[in-house]
Each structure stands twice: as structure tokens, then as C-alpha cells.
Coordinates of all heavy atoms in Angstrom, one line a residue:
G1 N 140.2 94.4 77.6 CA 139.3 95.0 78.5 C 138.8 96.3 78.0 O 139.1 96.7 76.9
G2 N 138.1 97.0 78.8 CA 137.5 98.3 78.4 C 136.2 98.2 77.7 O 135.7 97.1 77.4
G3 N 135.6 99.3 77.4 CA 134.3 99.3 76.6 C 133.2 98.9 77.5 O 132.1 98.7 76.9
G4 N 133.3 98.7 78.7 CA 132.2 98.3 79.6 C 132.2 96.8 80.0 O 131.5 96.5 80.9
V5 N 132.8 96.0 79.2 CA 132.7 94.6 79.5 C 134.1 94.0 79.2 O 134.7 94.2 78.2 CB 131.7 93.8 78.6 CG1 131.7 92.3 78.9 CG2 130.3 94.4 78.9
L6 N 134.6 93.2 80.2 CA 135.9 92.5 79.9 C 135.5 91.2 79.2 O 134.7 90.4 79.6 CB 136.6 92.2 81.2 CG 137.0 93.4 82.1 CD1 137.5 93.0 83.4 CD2 138.1 94.2 81.3
L7 N 136.1 91.0 78.0 CA 135.8 89.9 77.2 C 136.8 88.8 77.2 O 138.0 89.1 77.5 CB 135.7 90.4 75.7 CG 134.7 91.5 75.4 CD1 134.8 91.9 74.0 CD2 133.3 91.0 75.7
L8 N 136.4 87.6 77.0 CA 137.3 86.4 76.9 C 137.9 86.4 75.5 O 137.2 86.1 74.6 CB 136.5 85.1 77.2 CG 137.3 83.8 77.2 CD1 138.3 83.8 78.3 CD2 136.4 82.6 77.2
R9 N 139.1 86.8 75.5 CA 139.8 86.8 74.1 C 140.3 85.5 73.8 O 140.6 84.6 74.6 CB 141.0 87.8 74.2 CG 140.6 89.2 74.4 CD 141.8 90.2 74.3 NE 142.6 90.0 75.5 CZ 143.0 91.0 76.3 NH1 142.7 92.2 76.0 NH2 143.8 90.8 77.3
P10 N 140.4 85.2 72.5 CA 140.9 83.9 72.0 C 142.3 83.7 72.4 O 143.1 84.7 72.6 CB 140.7 83.9 70.5 CG 140.2 85.2 70.1 CD 140.0 86.0 71.4
L11 N 142.7 82.5 72.6 CA 144.1 82.2 72.9 C 144.9 82.5 71.6 O 144.4 82.5 70.5 CB 144.3 80.7 73.2 CG 143.8 80.2 74.5 CD1 144.0 78.7 74.6 CD2 144.3 80.9 75.7
P12 N 146.2 82.8 71.8 CA 147.1 83.1 70.6 C 147.5 81.8 69.9 O 148.3 81.9 69.0 CB 148.3 83.8 71.2 CG 148.3 83.3 72.6 CD 146.9 83.0 73.1
F13 N 146.9 80.7 70.2 CA 147.2 79.4 69.5 C 146.0 78.5 69.8 O 145.2 78.7 70.7 CB 148.5 78.8 70.1 CG 148.7 78.9 71.5 CD1 148.0 78.0 72.4 CD2 149.5 79.9 72.1 CE1 148.1 78.1 73.8 CE2 149.6 80.0 73.5 CZ 149.0 79.1 74.3
A14 N 146.0 77.4 69.1 CA 144.9 76.4 69.3 C 145.0 75.7 70.6 O 146.1 75.6 71.2 CB 145.0 75.3 68.2
Y15 N 143.9 75.2 71.2 CA 144.0 74.5 72.5 C 144.9 73.3 72.5 O 145.5 73.0 73.5 CB 142.6 74.0 72.9 CG 141.6 75.1 73.2 CD1 140.4 75.3 72.5 CD2 141.9 76.0 74.3 CE1 139.5 76.3 72.9 CE2 141.0 77.0 74.6 CZ 139.8 77.2 73.9 OH 139.0 78.2 74.3
D16 N 145.1 72.7 71.4 CA 145.9 71.5 71.4 C 147.4 71.8 70.9 O 148.2 70.9 70.7 CB 145.3 70.4 70.5 CG 145.2 70.8 69.0 OD1 145.4 71.9 68.7 OD2 144.7 69.9 68.3
A17 N 147.7 73.0 70.7 CA 149.0 73.4 70.1 C 150.2 73.1 71.0 O 151.3 73.0 70.6 CB 149.0 74.9 69.8
L18 N 149.9 72.9 72.3 CA 151.0 72.7 73.3 C 151.2 71.2 73.7 O 152.0 70.9 74.5 CB 150.8 73.5 74.5 CG 150.8 75.0 74.2 CD1 150.4 75.8 75.5 CD2 152.0 75.6 73.6
E19 N 150.4 70.3 73.1 CA 150.5 68.9 73.4 C 151.8 68.4 72.8 O 152.3 68.9 71.9 CB 149.3 68.2 72.7 CG 148.0 68.4 73.4 CD 146.9 67.6 72.9 OE1 146.8 67.3 71.7 OE2 146.0 67.3 73.7
P20 N 152.4 67.4 73.5 CA 151.9 66.7 74.6 C 152.3 67.3 76.0 O 152.0 66.8 77.0 CB 152.7 65.3 74.5 CG 154.0 65.7 73.9 CD 153.7 66.9 73.0
R21 N 152.9 68.5 76.0 CA 153.3 69.1 77.3 C 152.2 69.6 78.1 O 152.1 69.3 79.3 CB 154.3 70.3 77.0 CG 155.5 70.0 76.1 CD 156.6 69.3 76.8 NE 157.8 69.0 76.1 CZ 158.0 68.3 75.1 NH1 157.0 67.8 74.4 NH2 159.2 68.1 74.6
I22 N 151.2 70.3 77.4 CA 150.0 70.7 78.1 C 148.8 70.3 77.2 O 148.8 70.6 76.0 CB 150.0 72.3 78.2 CG1 151.2 72.7 79.0 CG2 148.7 72.7 78.9 CD1 151.3 74.2 79.2
S23 N 147.9 69.5 77.8 CA 146.9 68.9 77.0 C 145.8 69.9 76.6 O 145.7 71.0 77.2 CB 146.2 67.8 77.8 OG 145.4 68.4 78.9
R24 N 145.1 69.6 75.5 CA 144.0 70.4 75.0 C 143.0 70.6 76.1 O 142.5 71.7 76.3 CB 143.4 69.6 73.8 CG 142.2 70.3 73.2 CD 141.6 69.4 72.1 NE 140.7 70.2 71.3 CZ 139.4 70.4 71.6 NH1 138.9 69.9 72.7 NH2 138.6 71.1 70.8
E25 N 142.7 69.6 76.9 CA 141.7 69.6 78.0 C 142.1 70.6 79.0 O 141.3 71.4 79.5 CB 141.5 68.3 78.6 CG 140.8 67.3 77.7 CD 141.7 66.7 76.6 OE1 142.9 66.8 76.7 OE2 141.1 66.2 75.6
T26 N 143.4 70.6 79.4 CA 143.9 71.6 80.4 C 143.8 73.0 79.9 O 143.3 73.9 80.6 CB 145.4 71.2 80.7 OG1 145.4 69.9 81.3 CG2 146.0 72.2 81.7
M27 N 144.2 73.2 78.6 CA 144.1 74.6 78.1 C 142.6 75.0 78.0 O 142.3 76.2 78.4 CB 144.7 74.7 76.7 CG 146.3 74.5 76.8 SD 147.1 75.6 77.8 CE 146.8 77.2 77.0
M28 N 141.7 74.2 77.6 CA 140.3 74.5 77.5 C 139.8 74.8 78.9 O 139.0 75.8 79.1 CB 139.5 73.4 76.8 CG 139.8 73.3 75.4 SD 138.7 72.1 74.6 CE 137.1 72.9 74.7
L29 N 140.1 74.0 79.9 CA 139.6 74.2 81.2 C 140.1 75.6 81.8 O 139.2 76.4 82.3 CB 140.2 73.1 82.2 CG 139.8 73.3 83.7 CD1 138.4 73.1 83.9 CD2 140.7 72.4 84.5
H30 N 141.3 75.9 81.6 CA 141.8 77.2 82.1 C 141.3 78.4 81.4 O 141.1 79.4 82.0 CB 143.4 77.2 82.2 CG 143.9 76.4 83.3 ND1 144.1 77.0 84.5 CD2 144.3 75.1 83.5 CE1 144.6 76.1 85.4 NE2 144.7 74.9 84.7
H31 N 141.1 78.2 80.1 CA 140.6 79.3 79.3 C 139.1 79.5 79.4 O 138.6 80.6 79.7 CB 141.0 79.2 77.8 CG 140.7 80.3 77.0 ND1 139.8 80.3 76.0 CD2 141.2 81.6 77.0 CE1 139.7 81.4 75.4 NE2 140.5 82.3 76.0
T32 N 138.3 78.4 79.1 CA 136.9 78.6 79.0 C 136.2 78.5 80.3 O 135.0 78.8 80.4 CB 136.3 77.5 78.0 OG1 136.5 76.2 78.6 CG2 136.9 77.6 76.6
K33 N 136.8 78.0 81.3 CA 136.2 77.8 82.7 C 136.8 78.8 83.7 O 136.1 79.7 84.2 CB 136.3 76.4 83.2 CG 135.7 75.4 82.3 CD 134.2 75.5 82.2 CE 133.6 74.3 81.4 NZ 132.4 74.6 80.8
H34 N 138.1 78.6 84.0 CA 138.7 79.5 85.0 C 138.7 81.0 84.6 O 138.2 81.8 85.3 CB 140.2 79.0 85.3 CG 140.3 77.7 85.9 ND1 141.5 77.1 86.1 CD2 139.4 76.8 86.4 CE1 141.3 75.9 86.7 NE2 140.0 75.7 86.9
L35 N 139.4 81.3 83.5 CA 139.4 82.7 83.1 C 138.1 83.3 82.8 O 137.8 84.4 83.2 CB 140.4 82.8 81.9 CG 140.5 84.3 81.4 CD1 141.0 85.3 82.4 CD2 141.4 84.3 80.2
A36 N 137.2 82.5 82.1 CA 135.9 83.0 81.8 C 135.1 83.3 83.1 O 134.4 84.3 83.2 CB 135.1 82.0 80.9
K37 N 135.2 82.5 84.1 CA 134.5 82.7 85.4 C 135.1 83.9 86.1 O 134.3 84.8 86.6 CB 134.7 81.5 86.3 CG 134.0 81.5 87.6 CD 132.5 81.5 87.5 CE 131.9 81.3 88.8 NZ 130.4 81.3 88.7
H38 N 136.4 84.1 86.1 CA 136.9 85.3 86.7 C 136.4 86.6 86.0 O 136.0 87.5 86.7 CB 138.5 85.3 86.6 CG 139.1 84.4 87.6 ND1 139.0 84.5 89.0 CD2 140.0 83.4 87.4 CE1 139.7 83.6 89.6 NE2 140.3 82.9 88.6
L39 N 136.4 86.6 84.7 CA 135.9 87.7 83.9 C 134.4 88.0 84.2 O 134.0 89.2 84.3 CB 136.2 87.6 82.5 CG 137.6 87.5 82.0 CD1 137.8 87.2 80.6 CD2 138.3 88.9 82.4
A40 N 133.6 86.9 84.3 CA 132.2 87.1 84.6 C 132.0 87.7 85.9 O 131.1 88.6 86.1 CB 131.5 85.8 84.4
I41 N 132.7 87.3 86.9 CA 132.6 87.8 88.3 C 133.0 89.3 88.3 O 132.4 90.1 88.9 CB 133.5 87.0 89.3 CG1 132.8 85.6 89.4 CG2 133.6 87.7 90.6 CD1 133.7 84.6 90.2
I42 N 134.2 89.6 87.6 CA 134.6 91.0 87.6 C 133.6 91.9 86.9 O 133.2 92.9 87.5 CB 135.9 91.1 86.8 CG1 137.1 90.4 87.5 CG2 136.3 92.6 86.6 CD1 138.3 90.2 86.7
N43 N 133.0 91.4 85.8 CA 132.0 92.2 85.1 C 130.8 92.5 86.0 O 130.3 93.6 86.0 CB 131.6 91.5 83.8 CG 132.6 91.7 82.7 OD1 133.3 92.7 82.6 ND2 132.7 90.7 81.9
G44 N 130.4 91.5 86.8 CA 129.3 91.7 87.7 C 129.6 92.6 88.8 O 128.8 93.4 89.2
M45 N 130.9 92.6 89.3 CA 131.3 93.5 90.4 C 131.5 94.9 90.0 O 131.3 95.8 90.8 CB 132.6 92.9 91.0 CG 132.4 91.6 91.8 SD 133.9 91.0 92.5 CE 134.0 91.9 94.0
I46 N 131.8 95.1 88.7 CA 132.1 96.5 88.3 C 130.9 97.2 87.6 O 130.9 98.4 87.3 CB 133.4 96.6 87.4 CG1 133.1 95.9 86.1 CG2 134.6 96.2 88.1 CD1 134.3 96.1 85.0
E47 N 129.9 96.4 87.2 CA 128.7 96.9 86.6 C 128.1 98.1 87.4 O 127.9 98.0 88.6 CB 127.7 95.8 86.4 CG 126.5 96.3 85.6 CD 125.5 95.1 85.3 OE1 125.7 94.0 85.8 OE2 124.5 95.4 84.6
G48 N 127.9 99.2 86.7 CA 127.3 100.4 87.4 C 128.3 101.2 88.2 O 127.9 102.1 88.9
T49 N 129.6 100.8 88.2 CA 130.5 101.6 89.0 C 131.4 102.4 88.1 O 131.3 102.3 86.9 CB 131.5 100.6 89.8 OG1 132.4 100.0 88.9 CG2 130.7 99.6 90.6
E50 N 132.3 103.2 88.7 CA 133.2 104.1 87.9 C 134.2 103.2 87.2 O 134.9 103.7 86.3 CB 133.8 105.1 88.8 CG 134.9 104.6 89.7 CD 134.4 104.0 91.0 OE1 133.1 104.1 91.3 OE2 135.2 103.5 91.8
M51 N 134.3 102.0 87.5 CA 135.3 101.1 86.9 C 134.7 100.3 85.7 O 135.4 99.5 85.1 CB 135.9 100.1 87.9 CG 136.8 100.7 88.9 SD 137.7 99.5 89.9 CE 136.5 99.3 91.2
A52 N 133.5 100.5 85.4 CA 132.7 99.7 84.4 C 133.4 99.8 83.0 O 133.2 98.9 82.2 CB 131.3 100.2 84.3
H53 N 134.1 100.8 82.7 CA 134.7 101.0 81.4 C 136.3 100.9 81.5 O 136.9 101.2 80.5 CB 134.3 102.3 80.7 CG 132.8 102.3 80.5 ND1 132.2 101.6 79.5 CD2 131.8 102.9 81.2 CE1 130.9 101.7 79.5 NE2 130.6 102.5 80.5
D54 N 136.8 100.5 82.6 CA 138.2 100.4 82.8 C 138.8 99.1 82.2 O 138.2 98.1 82.1 CB 138.6 100.5 84.2 CG 138.4 101.9 84.8 OD1 138.2 102.8 84.0 OD2 138.5 102.0 86.1
S55 N 140.1 99.2 81.9 CA 140.9 98.0 81.5 C 141.1 97.2 82.7 O 141.0 97.6 83.9 CB 142.2 98.4 80.9 OG 143.1 99.0 82.0
L56 N 141.5 95.9 82.5 CA 141.8 95.0 83.6 C 142.9 95.6 84.5 O 142.8 95.5 85.7 CB 142.2 93.6 83.0 CG 142.4 92.5 84.0 CD1 141.1 92.3 84.8 CD2 142.7 91.2 83.2
E57 N 143.9 96.1 83.9 CA 145.0 96.7 84.6 C 144.6 97.8 85.5 O 145.0 97.9 86.7 CB 146.1 97.2 83.7 CG 146.9 96.1 82.9 CD 146.1 95.6 81.7 OE1 145.0 96.1 81.4 OE2 146.6 94.6 81.1
D58 N 143.7 98.7 85.0 CA 143.2 99.8 85.8 C 142.4 99.4 86.9 O 142.4 99.9 88.0 CB 142.5 100.8 84.9 CG 143.4 101.7 84.0 OD1 144.6 101.8 84.3 OD2 142.9 102.2 83.0
I59 N 141.6 98.3 86.7 CA 140.7 97.8 87.8 C 141.6 97.2 88.9 O 141.4 97.5 90.0 CB 139.8 96.7 87.2 CG1 138.8 97.3 86.3 CG2 139.1 95.9 88.3 CD1 138.0 96.3 85.4
M60 N 142.7 96.5 88.5 CA 143.6 96.0 89.5 C 144.2 97.1 90.4 O 144.2 97.0 91.6 CB 144.7 95.1 88.9 CG 144.3 93.8 88.4 SD 145.6 92.7 87.8 CE 146.7 93.8 87.0
I61 N 144.7 98.1 89.7 CA 145.3 99.2 90.4 C 144.4 99.9 91.3 O 144.6 100.1 92.5 CB 146.0 100.2 89.4 CG1 147.2 99.5 88.7 CG2 146.4 101.5 90.1 CD1 147.7 100.2 87.5
K62 N 143.2 100.3 90.8 CA 142.2 101.1 91.6 C 141.7 100.2 92.7 O 141.5 100.7 93.9 CB 141.1 101.5 90.7 CG 141.4 102.6 89.8 CD 140.2 102.9 88.9 CE 140.5 104.0 87.9 NZ 139.3 104.3 87.0
D63 N 141.4 99.0 92.5 CA 140.8 98.1 93.5 C 141.8 97.7 94.6 O 141.5 97.7 95.7 CB 140.2 96.9 92.9 CG 139.2 96.3 93.8 OD1 138.2 97.1 94.1 OD2 139.3 95.2 94.3
H64 N 143.1 97.5 94.2 CA 144.1 97.2 95.2 C 144.2 98.4 96.2 O 144.3 98.2 97.4 CB 145.5 97.0 94.5 CG 146.5 96.8 95.5 ND1 146.7 95.6 96.3 CD2 147.6 97.6 95.9 CE1 147.7 95.7 97.1 NE2 148.3 96.9 96.8
R65 N 144.1 99.6 95.6 CA 144.2 100.8 96.5 C 143.0 100.9 97.4 O 143.1 101.4 98.5 CB 144.3 102.1 95.7 CG 145.7 102.2 95.0 CD 145.8 103.4 94.1 NE 147.1 103.4 93.4 CZ 147.3 104.0 92.3 NH1 146.3 104.7 91.7 NH2 148.5 104.0 91.7
S66 N 141.8 100.4 96.9 CA 140.6 100.5 97.7 C 140.5 99.5 98.8 O 139.7 99.6 99.8 CB 139.3 100.4 96.8 OG 139.1 99.1 96.5
G67 N 141.3 98.4 98.7 CA 141.3 97.3 99.7 C 140.2 96.3 99.5 O 140.0 95.4 100.3
N68 N 139.5 96.3 98.3 CA 138.5 95.2 98.0 C 139.3 94.0 97.5 O 139.4 93.9 96.3 CB 137.5 95.8 97.0 CG 136.4 94.8 96.7 OD1 136.5 93.6 97.1 ND2 135.4 95.2 96.0
A69 N 139.7 93.1 98.4 CA 140.5 92.0 98.0 C 139.8 91.1 97.0 O 140.5 90.5 96.2 CB 140.9 91.2 99.2
G70 N 138.5 90.9 97.1 CA 137.8 90.0 96.2 C 137.9 90.4 94.7 O 138.3 89.6 93.9
L71 N 137.6 91.6 94.4 CA 137.7 92.1 93.1 C 139.2 92.1 92.6 O 139.5 91.7 91.5 CB 137.1 93.5 92.9 CG 137.1 94.2 91.5 CD1 136.5 93.3 90.5 CD2 136.5 95.5 91.6
C72 N 140.0 92.6 93.4 CA 141.5 92.6 93.1 C 142.0 91.2 92.8 O 142.7 91.0 91.8 CB 142.3 93.3 94.2 SG 144.0 93.6 93.7
N73 N 141.6 90.2 93.6 CA 142.1 88.9 93.4 C 141.6 88.3 92.0 O 142.3 87.6 91.3 CB 141.6 87.9 94.5 CG 142.4 88.2 95.8 OD1 143.5 88.8 95.7 ND2 141.9 87.8 96.9
H74 N 140.3 88.5 91.7 CA 139.8 88.1 90.4 C 140.5 88.8 89.3 O 140.8 88.1 88.3 CB 138.2 88.3 90.3 CG 137.5 87.3 91.2 ND1 137.4 86.0 90.9 CD2 136.8 87.5 92.3 CE1 136.7 85.4 91.8 NE2 136.3 86.2 92.7
A75 N 140.7 90.1 89.4 CA 141.4 90.8 88.3 C 142.8 90.3 88.2 O 143.3 90.1 87.1 CB 141.3 92.3 88.6
A76 N 143.5 90.1 89.3 CA 144.9 89.7 89.2 C 145.0 88.3 88.6 O 145.8 88.0 87.8 CB 145.5 89.7 90.6
S77 N 144.0 87.4 89.0 CA 144.0 86.0 88.4 C 143.7 86.1 86.9 O 144.4 85.3 86.2 CB 142.9 85.2 89.1 OG 143.3 84.9 90.4
S78 N 142.9 87.0 86.5 CA 142.6 87.1 85.1 C 143.8 87.6 84.3 O 144.2 87.1 83.3 CB 141.5 88.1 84.8 OG 140.3 87.6 85.4
W79 N 144.5 88.6 84.9 CA 145.7 89.1 84.3 C 146.8 88.0 84.2 O 147.5 87.9 83.2 CB 146.2 90.3 85.1 CG 147.3 91.0 84.4 CD1 147.2 92.1 83.5 CD2 148.7 90.7 84.4 NE1 148.4 92.5 83.0 CE2 149.4 91.6 83.6 CE3 149.5 89.8 85.1 CZ2 150.8 91.6 83.4 CZ3 150.9 89.8 85.0 CH2 151.5 90.7 84.1
N80 N 146.9 87.3 85.3 CA 147.9 86.2 85.3 C 147.7 85.1 84.2 O 148.6 84.7 83.5 CB 148.0 85.5 86.6 CG 148.7 86.3 87.7 OD1 149.5 87.2 87.4 ND2 148.4 86.1 88.9
H81 N 146.4 84.8 84.0 CA 146.1 83.8 82.9 C 146.4 84.4 81.6 O 147.1 83.7 80.8 CB 144.6 83.5 82.9 CG 144.2 82.4 83.8 ND1 143.9 82.6 85.2 CD2 143.9 81.1 83.6 CE1 143.6 81.5 85.7 NE2 143.6 80.5 84.8
E82 N 146.1 85.7 81.3 CA 146.4 86.3 80.0 C 147.9 86.4 79.8 O 148.4 86.2 78.7 CB 145.7 87.6 79.9 CG 144.2 87.5 80.1 CD 143.5 88.1 78.9 OE1 144.1 88.7 78.0 OE2 142.2 88.0 78.9
F83 N 148.6 86.7 80.9 CA 150.1 86.8 80.8 C 150.7 85.4 80.5 O 151.6 85.3 79.6 CB 150.6 87.4 82.1 CG 152.1 87.4 82.1 CD1 152.8 88.5 81.5 CD2 152.9 86.5 82.8 CE1 154.2 88.6 81.5 CE2 154.3 86.6 82.8 CZ 154.9 87.6 82.2
F84 N 150.2 84.4 81.1 CA 150.6 83.1 80.9 C 150.5 82.6 79.5 O 151.4 82.1 78.9 CB 149.9 82.1 81.9 CG 150.3 80.7 81.8 CD1 151.5 80.2 82.1 CD2 149.3 79.7 81.4 CE1 151.9 78.9 82.1 CE2 149.7 78.4 81.3 CZ 150.9 78.0 81.6
W85 N 149.3 82.9 78.9 CA 149.1 82.5 77.5 C 150.1 83.1 76.6 O 150.6 82.5 75.7 CB 147.7 83.0 76.9 CG 146.5 82.7 77.7 CD1 145.4 83.6 77.8 CD2 146.1 81.6 78.5 NE1 144.4 83.1 78.5 CE2 144.8 81.8 79.0 CE3 146.7 80.4 78.8 CZ2 144.1 80.9 79.8 CZ3 146.0 79.5 79.6 CH2 144.7 79.8 80.1
N86 N 150.5 84.4 76.9 CA 151.4 85.1 76.0 C 152.9 84.7 76.3 O 153.7 85.1 75.5 CB 151.2 86.6 76.1 CG 149.9 87.0 75.5 OD1 149.6 86.6 74.3 ND2 149.0 87.6 76.2
C87 N 153.1 83.9 77.3 CA 154.5 83.4 77.6 C 154.7 82.1 76.9 O 155.8 81.6 76.9 CB 154.7 83.3 79.1 SG 154.8 84.8 79.9
L88 N 153.6 81.4 76.4 CA 153.7 80.1 75.8 C 153.8 80.2 74.3 O 153.3 81.2 73.7 CB 152.5 79.3 76.2 CG 152.3 79.1 77.7 CD1 150.9 78.4 77.9 CD2 153.4 78.3 78.2
S89 N 154.4 79.2 73.6 CA 154.5 79.2 72.2 C 154.5 77.8 71.7 O 155.3 77.0 72.3 CB 155.7 80.0 71.7 OG 155.9 79.7 70.3
P90 N 153.7 77.4 70.7 CA 153.8 76.0 70.2 C 155.2 75.7 69.6 O 155.6 74.6 69.7 CB 152.7 76.0 69.1 CG 151.8 77.2 69.4 CD 152.6 78.2 70.1
S91 N 155.9 76.7 69.1 CA 157.2 76.5 68.5 C 158.3 76.6 69.6 O 159.4 76.2 69.3 CB 157.4 77.4 67.4 OG 157.4 78.8 67.9
G92 N 158.0 77.0 70.8 CA 158.9 77.1 71.9 C 160.1 77.9 71.6 O 160.2 78.6 70.5
G93 N 161.1 78.0 72.5 CA 162.2 78.8 72.3 C 163.5 78.0 72.0 O 164.6 78.5 71.9
G94 N 163.3 76.7 71.9 CA 164.5 75.9 71.6 C 165.1 75.4 72.9 O 164.7 75.7 74.0
R95 N 166.2 74.7 72.7 CA 167.0 74.2 73.9 C 167.8 75.4 74.5 O 168.3 76.2 73.8 CB 167.9 73.1 73.4 CG 167.1 71.9 72.9 CD 167.9 70.7 72.7 NE 168.5 70.0 73.9 CZ 167.7 69.3 74.7 NH1 166.5 69.3 74.6 NH2 168.3 68.8 75.8
P96 N 168.0 75.3 75.8 CA 168.8 76.4 76.5 C 170.2 76.4 75.9 O 170.8 75.3 75.6 CB 168.8 75.9 77.9 CG 167.6 75.0 78.1 CD 167.4 74.4 76.8
Q97 N 170.8 77.5 75.8 CA 172.1 77.7 75.3 C 173.2 77.3 76.3 O 174.2 76.8 76.0 CB 172.4 79.1 74.8 CG 171.4 79.6 73.7 CD 171.6 78.7 72.4 OE1 172.7 78.4 72.0 NE2 170.5 78.2 71.9
D98 N 172.9 77.6 77.6 CA 173.8 77.3 78.6 C 173.2 76.2 79.6 O 172.0 75.9 79.5 CB 174.1 78.5 79.4 CG 174.9 79.6 78.6 OD1 175.8 79.2 77.9 OD2 174.5 80.7 78.7
S99 N 174.0 75.7 80.5 CA 173.4 74.7 81.4 C 172.5 75.5 82.4 O 172.8 76.7 82.7 CB 174.6 74.0 82.2 OG 175.4 74.9 82.9
L100 N 171.6 74.8 82.9 CA 170.6 75.4 83.9 C 171.0 75.2 85.3 O 171.6 74.2 85.6 CB 169.2 74.9 83.6 CG 168.6 75.2 82.2 CD1 167.3 74.5 82.1 CD2 168.5 76.7 82.0

């Protein structure tokens, strides 16, 4: 984020890297449709405001305090998607060491 426009960053792995657990189509849908739509809405809502050059995190904090649930929800959903991508790995973490 920042710089005036929140951009759709590439995933840290290929769309099909998590198959067969998560399909290429599912990853593409969530990245190129869901996340991209949230970012486009946010960019439209912050254009011309004091938040126009803020990071996604700053937008969430400022907007939560202002009570504008719409913008805060889109920002939080975008943050959740980005957090989710970074929790996944094609190589995984291996089998659990202890029983679950």
C-alpha cells in the first residue's frame, strides 16, 4: 500500500502451487477477483481524502476509529487475504510433531 494507490501484489507462489489442496481456480478467484475488488473499492473511497497515501494498515486503524464500517470492512478483508497468502507455503511445514 501507500503511494496513493493500493496495488494488487503478486502471490508469493504460483496459483497452482497449492494443488491438490487448494485449486488454481480457487487461488485465482480469491486473488484476482475478491482481493482486487476490495482494493478497487478502497482506492475509490480514499481518493481525494487524507488517507489517499496511507498504507492498508493505517487505513484500517483510522477508519475503524471514524466508524465508517464499509471502508474498514473492505480494508480488513484485504488485509486478511494478504495475511492468508503469507501463511501458506507450497512446501508446507511437514507433519505435526505431536498429536493434535
Side-chain angles (χ1 to χ4, degrees):
V5 176
L6 297 172
L7 301 174
L8 182 65
R9 295 186 289 233
L11 292 178
F13 42 78
Y15 289 122
D16 62 355
L18 303 174
E19 289 185 329
R21 308 282 185 295
I22 302 176
S23 72
R24 177 181 195 278
E25 292 76 18
T26 297
M27 292 304 295
M28 286 184 70
L29 174 72
H30 280 274
H31 186 247
T32 65
K33 303 292 185 206
H34 293 175
L35 179 55
K37 181 72 172 178
H38 285 300
L39 293 174
I41 291 170
I42 295 165
N43 284 328
M45 293 177 84
I46 65 173
E47 185 176 0
T49 73
E50 73 278 355
M51 289 188 273
H53 297 284
D54 287 348
S55 68
L56 188 57
E57 291 82 0
D58 287 339
I59 291 168
M60 286 190 318
I61 292 166
K62 289 178 183 178
D63 203 62
H64 177 71
R65 290 179 182 153
S66 78
N68 183 350
L71 179 55
C72 189
N73 286 342
H74 285 291
S77 291
S78 298
W79 189 92
N80 284 338
H81 274 84
E82 300 236 355
F83 178 77
F84 180 65
W85 312 143
N86 290 307
C87 291
L88 300 173
S89 171
S91 58
R95 298 189 68 72
Q97 299 300 315
D98 295 315
S99 60
L100 298 176

